[in-house]
């Protein structure tokens, strides 16, 4: 029978023991301590020994958890560099106005959140007064990712320092009138204040990591030295459940991002209850972050606990704190001293004795009020320690009480996230608690007043002086005047106009070739940021490796296996390519940081992120919405696009719907180009619009989504007809007619218009030939580069008509006079081309690849979905037959002829 006390085999058994006798002595010593002083003392000694080893740099696995106490003891706290009493008064005003704003807004039914900021007020105030650098020095300052539900507190502070007025506060969540404040941090709605949209939980922490990493990238590449910028991400403990919140922790530690600090507000509550009812979220997060290589600073208990810890001579208090689950801690917050004496202290004889030395008031002060996140001195010490730590990012786990200072009806209640207002009596109690000079007479008709000490008050002067010393107001978004980027040489784009001759070229390859030319441009080449999630060779980008290099803060510490090849794998500290590995979410976070550098750092960067189209919008559409929220600019490229062009990979790779999802994003300009010259024309116009001289009325804060295909096909020359470039950009132009295609239709031949996008235009061209040669039908073929832009233009025309303006949609204007019905076809579901149906005056029908994809040849897949050339012919004949322009029997004959 196995001895349960015997040491079990481990990895250490694989190492030779050079001195078994010494090893036995150490083990015997541990046994002796456990026997004489108990297992708690033995565990204490082991933990201290491991901590000593870690501090000495001895290679041992790190401790993943420490005791449930503050990392920085009271004796080691630095003095706060400021007037703590003054900061307390400022925080009181902010607490009041945040609660007043939401309460007043609740009368209009717009809602709001009070409890989150109430718990986190000192986490923000300490940063604003002492740490967060503004943008008026070097233009970058620090980057602040504010927790979304804390926005009322940020507005309250902006009101105190004069950046907002009462009208703004009264229009919280009421933006239609023009003076409103968005519910949450939103650069598109309040672009002078907010930099980063964060309320889609999990995206804030992910973006913050890649922003810190992109800051290093900019510095390493010599674009701008932003080494003084620090990224602060304020998060909720419940938010850490989102997989994006922790997806990139290893990246941050691996690259030593000590320019990054997470501040996690551990009020132990998510939206509807405890974060970890039966466990301890702080300990779980500590283990997770320490395991990932982060520096962890815990600020859990306020100064009222100092007396209790001094009385804890046996460690019983620390053990009890470690074992009590979070939901019970919340219960203590709402119960009287007698309950706490019995349930908390009554579990251990040593704690029973300790409790005899404590008054009821002392117990309630500790368990109801005193938390590390509610004291400026504790928070200041944690922030200072984070900035001083080098070589790794820091996470601060600050324990707070959700609803702190809002009264017994709010504090630690499960429902406080949904509670939108306080009563007048509750406000008066809050006023007395905060010691604010607000009289009862100021509550007119039961409306809670805003509070302000005066524009020239000591509080406001102090606040503004602190911000001036730190580089100006925060948070703040600044778009510094940046000269438009010069247009790249025309030769890079014009080279595609002549076509590929007899060579078959996929549009994916055409795009990569264009980028290879653009990154060589002397003026703008260094500003391109190629981003790829571990598929560079699939997209033909390996030729960029040796010339541009792959960014790595360590450079290349090894000899690559392909070093003797022309296109070897080259990493460099100043590498230009961001090769992210298998993470679309990380690649999108890269893209967002690069695409908004024009505002964050005053440096225009041109990111392009190339990915399997199926794994873009379907997988990371929330981040693409975030990109639009943050006013990002750049090129998203969905490669290996379409439902039928990558069919050997099966349905999980067969994208038939990304343009549908992209069409829902107002900031996305979605194009499905068919030919290489269209790709070049679209990119050229995108560079002009986003980075050059935008036309009057054009919004520069857009991004482009281009689908490109992996199917090698003939690339024709650009037609010489006038207006081709306008048609490519606007979304539709006539590629050819039956006559220009040399098909010589009869004078009275029935005619149909075929509209195709992307790779589908090649099927349309084949169908054009079949219709002419086998059925006597004349066909004009149109290239629909963007169904979505056509629809948006038509919607704007409709809106103009409602205003009394005469405006014809572009799609109707360009098709005006086109003879016969219209048949639209794409490699996507029919919903994509059907976007324009209501504005086409001719009879309209469509073909598309609806349903799930499948593994087979391209030809078989297209036949399966009914979008190949023969299927187009049958559909065209059916349209003409309904109009009486061909015999009805022709449709049946065609089906039989083509085996449909």
């Amino acid at each position: 029978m196995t001895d349960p006390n015997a040491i079990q085999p481990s990895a250490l058994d694989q190492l030779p023991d050079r001195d078994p006798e010494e090893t036995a002595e150490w083990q015997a010593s541990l046994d002796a301590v456990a026997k004489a002083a108990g297992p708690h003392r033995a565990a204490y000694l082991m933990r201290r020994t491991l901590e000593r080893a870690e501090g000495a740099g001895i290679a041992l696995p790190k401790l993943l958890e420490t005791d449930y106490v503050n990392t920085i003891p009271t004796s080691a706290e630095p003095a706060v560099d400021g007037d703590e009493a003054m900061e307390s008064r400022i925080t009181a005003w902010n607490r009041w106005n945040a609660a007043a704003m939401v309460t007043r807004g609740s009368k209009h039914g717009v809602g709001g959140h009070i409890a989150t900021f109430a718990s986190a007020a000192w986490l923000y105030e300490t940063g604003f007064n002492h740490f967060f650098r503004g943008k008026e020095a070097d233009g970058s300052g620090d980057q602040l990712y504010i927790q979304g539900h804390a926005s009322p507190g940020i507005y309250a502070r902006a009101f105190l320092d004069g950046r907002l007025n009462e009208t703004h506060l009264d229009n919280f969540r009421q933006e239609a009138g023009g003076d409103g404040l968005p519910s949450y941090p939103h650069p598109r709605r309040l672009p002078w204040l907010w930099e980063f949209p964060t309320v889609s939980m999990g995206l804030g922490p992910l973006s913050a990591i890649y922003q810190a990493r992109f800051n290093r990238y900019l510095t390493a590449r010599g674009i701008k030295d932003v080494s003084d910028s620090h990224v602060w991400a304020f998060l909720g403990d419940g938010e850490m459940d989102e997989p994006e919140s922790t997806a990139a922790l290893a990246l941050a530690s691996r690259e030593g991002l000590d320019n990054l600090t997470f501040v996690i507000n551990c009020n132990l509550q998510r939206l509807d209850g405890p974060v970890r009812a039966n466990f301890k979220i702080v300990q779980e997060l500590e283990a997770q972050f320490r395991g990932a290589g982060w520096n962890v600073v815990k600020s859990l208990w306020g100064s009222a606990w100092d007396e209790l810890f001094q009385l804890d001579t046996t460690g019983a208090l620390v053990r009890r704190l470690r074992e009590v689950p979070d939901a019970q801690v919340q219960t203590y917050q709402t119960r009287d001293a007698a309950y706490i004496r019995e349930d908390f202290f009554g579990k251990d004889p040593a704690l029973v004795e300790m409790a005899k030395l404590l008054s009821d008031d002392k117990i309630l002060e500790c368990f109801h009020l005193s938390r590390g996140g509610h004291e400026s001195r504790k928070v200041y010490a944690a922030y200072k320690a984070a900035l001083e730590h080098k070589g790794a990012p820091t996470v601060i786990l600050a324990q707070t009480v959700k609803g702190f200072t809002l009264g017994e009806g709010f504090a630690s209640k499960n429902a406080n996230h949904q509670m939108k207002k306080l009563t007048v009596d509750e406000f008066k109690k809050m006023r007395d608690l905060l010691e604010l000079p607000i009289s009862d007479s100021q509550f007119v008709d039961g409306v809670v007043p805003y509070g302000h000490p005066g524009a020239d008050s000591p509080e406001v002067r102090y606040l503004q002086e602190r911000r001036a010393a730190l580089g100006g107001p925060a948070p703040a978004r600044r778009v510094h005047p940046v000269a438009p980027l010069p247009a790249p040489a025309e030769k890079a784009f014009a080279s595609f106009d002549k076509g590929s001759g007899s060579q078959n070229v996929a549009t994916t390859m055409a795009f990569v070739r264009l980028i290879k030319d653009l990154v060589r441009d002397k003026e703008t080449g260094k500003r391109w940021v190629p981003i790829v999630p571990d598929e560079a060779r699939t997209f033909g980008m390996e030729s960029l490796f040796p010339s541009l290099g792959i960014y790595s803060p360590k450079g290349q510490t090894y000899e690559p296996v392909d070093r003797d090849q022309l296109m070897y794998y080259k990493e460099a500290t100043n590498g230009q390519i961001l090769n992210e590995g298998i993470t679309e979410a990380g690649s999108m976070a890269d893209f967002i940081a690069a695409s908004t550098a024009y505002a964050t750092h005053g440096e225009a960067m041109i990111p392009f992120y190339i990915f399997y189209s199926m794994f873009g919008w379907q997988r990371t559409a929330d981040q693409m919405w975030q990109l639009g929220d943050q006013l990002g600019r750049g090129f998203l490229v969905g490669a290996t696009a379409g439902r039928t062009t990558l069919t050997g990979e099966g349905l999980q790779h067969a994208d038939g719907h990304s343009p549908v999802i992209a069409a829902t994003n107002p900031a996305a300009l979605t194009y499905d180009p068919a030919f290489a010259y269209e790709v070049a024309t679209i990119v050229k116009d995108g560079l002009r619009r986003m980075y050059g001289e935008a036309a009057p009325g054009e919004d520069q804060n857009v991004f482009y989504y281009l689908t490109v295909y992996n199917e090698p096909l003939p690339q024709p020359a650009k037609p010489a007809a006038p207006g081709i470039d306008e048609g490519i950009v606007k979304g539709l132009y006539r590629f050819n007619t039956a006559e220009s295609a040399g098909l010589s239709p009869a004078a009275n031949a029935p005619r149909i218009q075929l509209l195709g996008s992307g790779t589908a235009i090649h099927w349309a061209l084949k169908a054009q030939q079949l219709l002419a040669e086998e059925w006597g039908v004349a066909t004009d073929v149109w290239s629909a580069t963007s169904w979505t832009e056509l629809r948006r233009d038509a919607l704007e025309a409709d809106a103009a008509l409602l205003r009394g303006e005469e405006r014809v949609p572009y799609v109707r204007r360009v098709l005006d006079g086109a003879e016969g019905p219209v048949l639209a076809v794409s490699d996507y579901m029919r919903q994509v081309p059907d976007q324009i149906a209501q504005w086409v005056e001719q009879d309209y029908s469509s073909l598309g690849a609806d349903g799930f994809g499948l593994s087979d040849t391209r030809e078989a897949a297209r036949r399966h979905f009914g979008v190949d050339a023969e299927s187009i012919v049958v559909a065209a004949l059916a349209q003409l037959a309904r109009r009486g322009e061909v015999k009805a029997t022709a449709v049946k004959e065609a089906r039989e002829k083509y085996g449909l």
Side-chain angles (χ1 to χ4, degrees):
M1 184 174 181
T2 303
D3 180 359
N5 297 316
I7 298 176
Q8 301 301 309
S10 70
L12 293 177
D13 293 332
Q14 307 303 315
L15 302 176
D17 190 344
R18 296 187 302 173
D19 192 340
E21 185 176 345
E22 182 182 38
T23 303
E25 289 175 358
W26 276 73
Q27 292 171 343
S29 297
L30 181 64
D31 292 341
V33 171
K35 183 176 180 180
H40 296 304
R41 177 62 180 169
Y44 176 86
L45 291 176
M46 286 299 298
R47 294 175 74 87
R48 292 295 175 262
T49 302
L50 287 171
E51 288 170 357
R52 183 63 172 264
E54 183 179 328
I58 298 173
L60 279 174
K62 292 184 179 181
L63 286 170
L64 295 186
E65 287 186 26
T66 59
D67 287 326
Y68 201 65
V69 296
N70 294 348
T71 302
I72 304 170
T74 302
S75 59
E77 292 171 0
V80 177
D81 180 24
D83 187 334
E84 292 183 68
M86 179 68 73
E87 291 174 20
S88 181
R89 294 202 295 276
I90 292 170
T91 305
W93 285 115
N94 291 340
R95 288 181 181 279
W96 177 272
N97 288 322
M101 178 194 330
V102 176
T103 297
R104 288 168 67 134
S106 69
K107 294 186 176 181
H108 303 288
V110 295
H113 301 288
I114 301 176
T116 294
F117 176 73
S119 68
W122 275 113
L123 302 180
Y124 293 107
E125 195 61 40
T126 303
F128 286 132
N129 285 326
H130 301 283
F131 295 97
F132 304 157
R133 296 173 63 253
K135 294 181 173 294
E136 294 180 357
D138 64 1
S140 290
D142 289 352
Q143 288 82 57
L144 309 180
Y145 288 77
I146 304 295
Q147 192 179 0
H149 292 136
S151 61
I154 309 305
Y155 292 141
R157 196 174 203 276
F159 170 65
L160 207 64
D161 73 7
R163 293 197 289 166
L164 294 175
N165 56 40
E166 288 194 15
T167 300
H168 290 120
L169 300 193
D170 266 346
N171 284 313
F172 174 59
R173 295 193 169 199
Q174 299 172 75
E175 299 177 75
D179 289 326
L181 301 178
S183 310
Y184 304 119
H186 207 308
R188 189 168 285 276
R189 288 301 183 202
L190 202 62
W192 60 266
L193 181 72
W194 298 119
E195 277 194 285
F196 307 109
T198 55
V199 83
S200 186
M201 293 189 193
L203 300 190
L206 179 66
S207 294
I209 290 174
Y210 280 89
Q211 181 66 58
R213 197 257 199 133
F214 189 75
N215 290 355
R216 291 280 174 85
Y217 171 90
L218 284 179
T219 302
R221 291 197 53 224
I223 303 293
K224 182 179 182 180
D225 185 355
V226 294
S227 53
D228 287 337
S229 287
H230 199 84
V231 178
W232 300 83
F234 288 84
L235 319 167
D237 46 1
E239 181 178 4
M240 300 310 295
D241 285 347
E242 291 284 4
E244 295 90 347
S245 295
T246 55
L249 297 187
L251 168 71
S253 61
R254 183 170 66 245
E255 299 202 359
L257 298 181
D258 51 21
N259 60 338
L260 169 68
T261 297
F262 277 15
V263 182
I264 303 181
N265 177 17
C266 298
N267 56 36
L268 313 185
Q269 288 182 250
R270 54 164 69 109
L271 305 187
D272 289 320
V275 179
R276 293 291 182 271
N278 297 296
F279 306 94
K280 301 192 79 64
I281 186 60
V282 168
Q283 299 300 87
E284 178 182 320
L285 291 175
E286 179 184 26
Q288 194 168 18
F289 278 87
R290 286 173 68 89
W294 287 53
N295 176 46
V296 179
V297 177
K298 293 195 290 193
S299 183
L300 308 181
W301 308 111
S303 55
W305 284 83
D306 289 348
E307 179 184 342
L308 275 68
F309 288 125
Q310 290 170 2
L311 293 173
D312 185 26
T313 58
T314 67
L317 177 61
V318 173
R319 291 195 299 273
R320 181 67 178 137
L321 288 173
R322 190 166 60 237
E323 69 188 23
V324 175
D326 283 351
Q328 191 62 23
V329 173
Q330 299 295 81
T331 297
Y332 294 149
Q333 178 71 35
T334 64
R335 302 301 290 269
D336 59 21
Y339 178 89
I340 298 171
R341 284 181 186 277
E342 178 182 351
D343 191 84
F344 181 84
F345 293 96
K347 303 298 184 182
D348 187 295
L351 294 181
V352 171
E353 293 303 313
M354 179 190 294
K356 292 177 180 178
L357 303 174
L358 304 174
S359 67
D360 285 356
D361 287 344
K362 181 66 176 180
I363 288 175
L364 293 178
E365 180 186 13
C366 289
F367 284 84
H368 284 193
L369 303 174
S370 188
R371 299 290 187 275
H374 293 322
E375 295 187 14
S376 62
R377 186 173 294 267
K378 304 291 185 187
V379 177
Y380 183 93
Y383 286 5
K384 192 169 188 294
L387 292 182
E388 292 174 351
H389 186 84
K390 300 303 176 185
T394 294
V395 59
I396 295 169
L397 304 174
Q399 187 161 270
T400 65
V401 175
K402 194 167 186 178
F404 188 65
T405 73
L406 297 180
E408 295 179 359
F410 266 84
S412 291
K413 295 297 176 65
N414 284 340
N416 59 21
H417 187 79
Q418 283 74 35
M419 297 164 69
K420 313 299 182 186
K421 59 185 178 180
L422 278 70
T423 66
V424 169
D425 287 342
E426 286 171 330
F427 265 109
K428 289 179 179 179
K429 290 178 181 178
M430 182 181 174
R431 169 201 62 190
D432 297 339
L433 175 66
L434 299 176
E435 299 181 347
L436 291 172
I438 298 173
S439 66
D440 287 355
S441 62
Q442 291 177 260
F443 291 82
V444 179
D445 296 327
V447 177
V448 58
Y450 295 120
H452 200 293
D456 196 39
S457 64
E459 292 90 340
V460 173
R461 288 201 306 271
Y462 180 89
L463 180 155
Q464 293 175 342
E465 288 168 2
R466 299 301 297 190
R467 289 311 315 158
L470 286 166
R477 182 179 182 272
R478 296 283 186 271
V479 181
H480 298 274
V482 178
L485 295 182
E490 179 64 25
K491 181 174 69 173
F493 305 103
S495 64
F496 293 91
D497 291 353
K498 60 184 179 182
S500 63
S502 61
Q503 182 183 10
N504 288 343
V505 177
T507 51
T508 297
M509 295 302 101
F511 175 82
V512 172
R513 178 184 148 193
L514 174 63
I515 294 299
K516 287 171 64 177
D517 291 339
L518 293 176
V519 296
R520 294 192 187 105
D521 186 84
K522 292 181 179 180
E523 295 290 334
T524 60
K526 69 178 181 179
R527 297 194 175 273
W528 284 89
V529 183
I531 303 168
V532 60
D534 199 38
E535 289 282 4
R537 296 183 193 277
T538 300
F539 306 136
M541 291 176 59
E542 66 268 30
S543 60
L544 299 177
F545 289 170
S547 58
L548 301 184
I550 299 167
Y551 170 73
S552 169
K554 288 186 176 293
Q556 194 153 39
T557 62
Y558 60 92
E559 183 177 353
V561 67
D562 54 357
R563 181 64 178 84
D564 59 343
Q565 297 179 14
L566 180 62
M567 293 182 288
Y568 70 96
Y569 196 85
K570 177 186 174 183
E571 298 188 77
T573 54
N574 64 345
Q576 192 166 349
I577 300 169
L578 293 174
N579 192 359
E580 288 307 335
I582 305 175
T583 168
E584 287 83 5
S587 299
M588 269 306 302
D590 264 337
F591 188 92
I592 292 169
S595 70
T596 54
Y598 73 91
T600 309
H601 295 299
E603 296 287 344
M605 304 300 288
I606 312 170
F608 78 87
Y609 164 35
I610 188 166
F611 50 89
Y612 270 76
S613 64
M614 184 66 162
F615 305 143
W617 289 85
Q618 174 167 299
R619 182 167 286 187
T620 57
D622 197 14
Q623 286 178 285
M624 291 159 175
W625 197 268
Q626 179 190 11
L627 168 64
D629 286 348
Q630 203 167 315
L631 289 78
R633 306 169 183 173
F635 297 95
L636 296 175
V637 183
T640 59
R643 183 79 83 193
T644 70
T645 57
L646 195 68
T647 52
E649 298 284 354
L651 68 88
Q652 290 186 328
H653 287 66
D655 171 27
H657 54 280
S658 69
V660 177
I661 307 175
T664 66
N665 191 311
L669 277 62
T670 303
Y671 287 90
D672 186 25
F675 305 124
Y677 67 79
E678 294 178 352
V679 172
T681 301
I682 293 164
V683 171
K684 178 183 176 181
D685 192 69
L687 290 172
R688 175 200 63 78
R689 176 170 178 172
M690 295 185 290
Y691 300 98
E693 296 286 355
E698 274 188 325
D699 184 4
Q700 282 191 285
N701 298 316
V702 295
F703 61 91
Y704 283 64
Y705 175 53
L706 281 71
T707 53
V708 292
Y709 297 82
N710 69 320
E711 185 175 8
L713 291 165
Q715 295 299 328
K718 180 190 278 189
I724 294 297
D725 284 0
E726 179 190 26
I728 291 171
V729 172
K730 285 186 175 294
L732 183 66
Y733 68 96
R734 180 154 39 198
F735 176 73
N736 72 13
T737 64
E739 290 77 9
S740 66
L743 297 175
S744 303
N748 61 346
R751 186 175 292 264
I752 189 168
Q753 310 296 317
L754 290 184
L755 278 56
S757 68
T759 194
I761 201 167
H762 295 277
W763 322 329
L765 289 169
K766 183 180 177 182
Q768 179 187 44
Q769 185 175 1
L770 292 174
L771 283 164
E773 295 176 353
E774 300 182 5
W775 304 99
V777 173
T779 306
D780 299 342
V781 175
W782 301 70
S783 181
T785 55
S786 180
W787 309 101
T788 302
E789 287 306 296
L790 292 173
R791 175 180 173 79
R792 287 177 177 168
D793 172 81
L795 289 172
E796 291 172 4
D798 286 354
L801 285 174
L802 291 176
R803 297 191 299 268
E805 304 170 18
E806 285 294 329
R807 180 175 164 187
V808 180
Y810 175 81
V811 65
R812 182 174 296 166
R813 177 158 46 92
V814 77
L815 287 173
D816 184 42
E819 184 182 344
V822 169
L823 174 60
V825 59
S826 84
D827 202 15
Y828 295 93
M829 56 196 300
R830 290 175 60 182
Q831 187 174 338
V832 175
D834 284 352
Q835 291 181 86
I836 67 169
Q838 71 184 82
W839 294 279
V840 175
E841 292 185 319
Q842 294 88 342
D843 292 341
Y844 185 92
S845 65
S846 64
L847 296 175
D850 285 77
F852 288 107
L854 76 166
S855 297
D856 211 311
T857 64
R858 291 177 178 131
E859 293 75 14
R862 287 162 187 167
R863 177 58 58 92
H864 169 79
F865 286 110
V867 293
D868 60 351
E870 292 79 6
S871 297
I872 294 173
V873 169
V874 172
L877 293 173
Q879 269 191 289
L880 293 169
R882 284 194 296 271
R883 295 162 57 94
E885 296 180 23
V886 300
K887 294 179 179 180
T889 56
V891 180
K892 181 181 179 183
E893 291 173 16
R895 282 201 302 267
E896 294 173 351
K897 179 181 179 69
Y898 301 131
L900 293 177

